[in-house]
Amino acid sequence: MCWSATANLVAGAGICAVGVATLAGVRHRGDLPLAALPLLLGAHQIVESFLWRHGGGSGPLTLAWAVIALPLLPLWIPLGVLLADRAGTGLRPGRTTGGITAVPVLRVVPVSAGCATAAVLAYSLATATVTAEVRGRTIGYAVDVPLLPLVLAGYFLATLGALLLSTDRLLRLLGAVMAAGAVVCGTLWRTEFISTWCAFAAVASVLMLLWVWRRTGTGAGRRPRHPHPVA
């Protein structure tokens, strides 16, 4: 979400470029879903740039924007973090250590919240029309979502919670940056002053690139830590 069609398009293209570099640096298949996040965020910005040019409304573009923002992200992020954490510790799903399941229960909570939240939001998109309206330097979106406060709590638990509970220090930093971004962007968007989420999406994408470089030892002379390289 940016303040104009041009800003969205430029931000989306730049974020996609970072996304390509991020995916190109992946060496371990468990990192692939999370490393693809910048491409997803970049595509999201580009879709919104076309919404600006069409003046909002409803239709395939609005639905595409909503599918990425609503059911997809709360499912994608916690699953990506879970797989990356497993790859980072060299543990496969189902393995145990000393009789204790390899993945702590706390890190399964965001995944469960994401599945439930995505199901409710997918149902809302399937049964109601999503509309977009240009409001000054922002675009407002409307769709009927039941139990909205509970769904919002599940959304933030799935996305921000997954990052903040990660075993990886850089992913926890990303979670903190995104939490701050949510507060700032939400405040500015509610006042209809300006939409700035694209700036935080760009920061998130750069952090993801740094995360991949650190995981593979790129530019730091470090040996890769993961036992399961991408075929």
Side-chain angles (χ1 to χ4, degrees):
M1 297 169 67
C2 258
W3 54 88
S4 70
T6 301
N8 264 125
L9 187 60
V10 171
I15 292 169
C16 282
V18 174
V20 171
T22 302
L23 279 177
V26 171
R27 296 293 178 267
H28 311 284
R29 58 179 175 268
D31 292 345
L32 282 171
L34 203 54
L37 184 60
L39 273 180
L40 186 62
L41 295 177
H44 200 220
Q45 298 299 322
I46 292 172
V47 168
E48 191 171 70
S49 74
F50 288 104
L51 277 173
W52 275 103
R53 296 184 189 281
H54 284 79
S58 60
L61 283 174
T62 308
L63 182 60
W65 185 95
V67 166
I68 295 173
L70 300 181
L72 189 54
L73 283 179
L75 197 58
W76 191 295
I77 292 175
L79 286 174
V81 171
L82 187 63
L83 290 172
D85 279 347
R86 281 173 168 168
T89 56
L91 295 171
R92 290 181 180 273
R95 281 188 55 182
T96 59
T97 303
I100 301 174
T101 303
V103 179
V105 174
L106 272 180
R107 274 182 276 153
V108 178
V109 171
V111 176
S112 302
C115 290
T117 302
V120 173
L121 291 172
Y123 174 80
S124 297
L125 294 183
T127 58
T129 301
V130 189
T131 60
E133 179 186 1
V134 176
R135 303 171 183 170
R137 286 177 289 184
T138 68
I139 295 182
Y141 298 88
V143 63
D144 185 26
V145 178
L147 303 171
L148 184 57
L150 186 59
V151 172
L152 279 176
Y155 190 100
F156 289 126
L157 176 59
T159 52
L160 301 178
L163 292 167
L164 293 171
L165 290 171
S166 172
T167 57
D168 189 284
R169 178 168 45 86
L170 199 50
L171 291 183
R172 293 197 299 271
L173 173 61
L174 175 60
V177 170
M178 291 299 95
V183 172
V184 172
C185 293
T187 301
L188 292 175
W189 181 82
R190 281 181 177 277
T191 62
E192 299 183 4
F193 173 64
I194 195 170
S195 183
T196 55
W197 177 249
C198 57
F200 285 94
V203 172
S205 299
V206 171
L207 286 175
M208 289 305 308
L209 178 60
L210 294 176
W211 173 73
V212 165
W213 283 353
R214 188 169 65 83
R215 300 272 277 192
T216 59
T218 304
R222 296 172 61 183
R223 294 177 64 83
R225 297 182 296 168
H226 312 296
H228 312 301
V230 175

